[in-house]
Amino acid sequence: MTTLPAAGLADAPVPDASVLDAADPLGGYRSRFLGADDPSVPAYLDGNSLGRPLASLPGVFSSFVTEQWGGRLIRGWDESWLNLPLALGDRIGRSVLGAAAGQTVVADSTTVSLYKLIRTALHARPGRSEIVIDRGNFPTDRFVVEGVAAETGAHIRWIETEPGRGATLADAEAVIGDETAVIVLSHIAYRSGYIADVPGITALAHERGALVLWDLCHSVGSVPIELDAWGVDLATGCTYKYLNGGPGSPAFLYVNAALLGEARQPIWGWMGDRNPFAMADGYVPADGIRRFISGTPPVVGMIAMQEMLGLIEEVGIDAIRTKSLALTDYAIALFDERLAPLGVTLSSPREHEVRGSHVTIDHPSFAGLMQELWSRGVIPDFRAPSGIRLGLSPLSTSFAEVEFTVEAIRSLLAPRA
Ligand SMILES: *Cc1c(COP(=O)(O)O)cnc(C)c1O
């Protein structure tokens, strides 16, 4: 792959997008996505909120409806659907989480999974009543923590994070104490794209007797993850971002095998019972990760992500990460050349080691530009009050889309600056 000048060597000319696309070894995968060449959307940089659908999906959904649902009818539950949350969880574990089988299920939303896992952590650390979370975390993560605190009497200890970064090992060092039951953090900060030190913070929490819960929404499918090797206790993440599962596809939830024996989650439902069809009087949790399921599996919502997992397995997460860095390098080089002179600021890290797959830029006029950008089919994502996130989905985003977007922003901003 053509390499870009290192950050700081601003004198070197920024390469042309067409040169980078032509040299991109993963460039051919773009055609596997539906709508990648739709002329009404010349640039889609919001795959970090909703990944594009795979082009194979119309056929896959059609055969699901006719053969599986229509053909097998209720027999489908016993034949495969009831086991799908576990089978698909194992596949996600193997392909993108670095997790051995039996620790991951697909069920519910990320929000509900966070609730289940935070309650599980409090139950697993009796005598400790503090939850640590950072103020920069995604709203739903903070709200669920606040809700659990209100419900259980747990105390919240907040980490204040610097703008453009996320929670650091030093932050964790300063706040995790004898009372801490669990620390809830995002692997990649949703605003800045900052990558947290998962192994370091996890090891520190364990030294101090606390558990960790990592939110992987912005990292799964875009950066390598090794949950087992890192010793992570609990994790969850959504599947409609870089796993391209489609709007509202269910989350995955991971519980380390070491915790599973005693683990108790709060939403007791028949599908997590040892014997769902016994219709018995009292709940007895199933062995293993199945106990984290509550109700009927959302089977239709699990179809699309399987196609994307197949693609990720074919390409390999390391090659995906290399492309992701090339895309964010390019976005930052274009920012330096065309947007910084107009007063736009960079709110994402420049260092590779701590940079995820999106780049956030800020300017007070950005809120006023979004409608015009969207009407031109240039679709980045906006985060109030003034941030545009350029979400770079490694297998479906071209360098041309990055250039098109930055140029559109420059041309709209220049007359106002
Ligand atoms: C996208 C995202 C969520 C979304 O949660 P849902 O329950 O799927 O709506 C949660 N946390 C983070 C960090 C996210 O980026």
Side-chain angles (χ1 to χ4, degrees), residues 363-384:
H363 190 281
S365 298
F366 277 170
L369 301 190
M370 289 308 294
Q371 207 181 348
E372 177 60 23
L373 286 171
W374 278 43
S375 73
R376 294 181 185 191
V378 177
I379 309 183
D381 152 317
F382 181 73
R383 282 291 171 267

Side-chain angles (χ1 to χ4, degrees), residues 109-112 114 137-138 140-141 186 188 190 215 217-218 238 240-241:
S109 61
T110 303
T111 302
V112 173
L114 286 164
N137 213 329
F138 191 86
T140 217
D141 301 58
S186 286
I188 295 188
Y190 81 104
D215 182 323
C217 281
H218 283 278
C238 44
Y240 47 80
K241 292 172 181 168

Side-chain angles (χ1 to χ4, degrees), residues 159-214:
I159 292 175
E160 308 292 338
T161 47
E162 279 174 53
R165 311 294 284 188
T168 63
L169 182 59
D171 292 329
E173 189 105 51
V175 298
I176 301 177
D178 292 347
E179 283 301 306
T180 309
V182 61
I183 174 165
V184 182
L185 298 176
S186 286
H187 184 189
I188 295 188
Y190 81 104
R191 270 183 194 280
S192 66
Y194 177 84
I195 302 181
D197 177 0
V198 179
I201 294 173
T202 298
L204 173 80
H206 291 170
E207 268 167 39
R208 298 188 180 178
L211 297 172
V212 290
L213 165 49
W214 287 101

Side-chain angles (χ1 to χ4, degrees), residues 94-106:
R94 186 172 64 242
S95 301
V96 288
L97 300 181
Q103 305 175 102
T104 310
V105 281
V106 179

